[in-house]
Amino acid sequence: MSGWAGPPIAGLHLFPTPGVVAGIPEDELQAGVGLTHARTRTLLAVAEAFAHVATPADPGAFPLTREELLAIPGIGPWSADNLDVRARLEPDAFTAGDLVLRRALGGVTTREAARRAEAWRPYRSHALFHLWNEEAYSKG
């Protein structure tokens, strides 16, 4: 496990590259990080996918399309939606099936959350962050 960290810069270690993560033996990664067998396989598949994609010219760009993500075993619509919100910073992305979101909306179904969110277009991700924060911090 000692070789996982990236090169040191100013005394700090960078997160390992996708190629480094993809090369970690499954059992070592599972034991070191504490993931289930299925999540370990997904993490390795994601690392492998990222290791083989060209780095975008824009450092803030996300290198895989939604379709490419969904083709990775273990990545489903919720994960792809979450990456749209968090990594691609899509202002209208929305994770209608998110448990915290649905709890913040009073325990509604995924379908009802999606229906309500239509009124928030084209800024549904902003509403999502607000609702997540409200749910996390309003319970005292």
Side-chain angles (χ1 to χ4, degrees):
M1 283 200 297
S2 61
W4 288 15
I9 294 179
L12 302 173
H13 284 274
L14 298 176
F15 193 82
T17 66
V20 169
V21 174
I24 299 171
E26 186 176 324
D27 58 338
E28 186 178 333
L29 183 60
Q30 187 174 357
V33 181
L35 297 173
T36 64
H37 182 67
R39 287 197 175 147
T40 302
R41 284 188 318 228
T42 299
L43 176 59
L44 289 171
V46 168
E48 185 73 25
F50 272 82
H52 289 96
V53 67
T55 304
D58 175 4
F62 195 81
L64 297 176
T65 67
R66 180 180 180 81
E67 292 73 27
E68 289 169 328
L69 285 168
L70 291 172
I72 298 171
I75 300 293
W78 182 88
S79 297
D81 290 344
N82 211 325
L83 286 167
D84 282 345
V85 170
R86 295 176 183 271
R88 291 191 221 286
L89 303 176
E90 294 286 343
D92 198 38
F94 193 71
T95 57
D98 185 81
L99 180 60
V100 175
L101 162 75
R102 292 185 304 127
R103 201 169 34 223
L105 292 173
V108 301
T109 65
T110 298
R111 179 175 284 157
E112 177 61 15
R115 187 193 68 74
R116 289 187 190 183
E118 287 302 310
W120 307 327
R121 282 190 184 274
Y123 301 107
R124 293 180 304 162
S125 65
H126 298 280
L128 181 63
F129 282 119
H130 174 74
L131 289 164
W132 279 338
N133 285 328
E134 182 67 23
E135 182 64 22
Y137 298 114
S138 69
K139 313 294 188 229

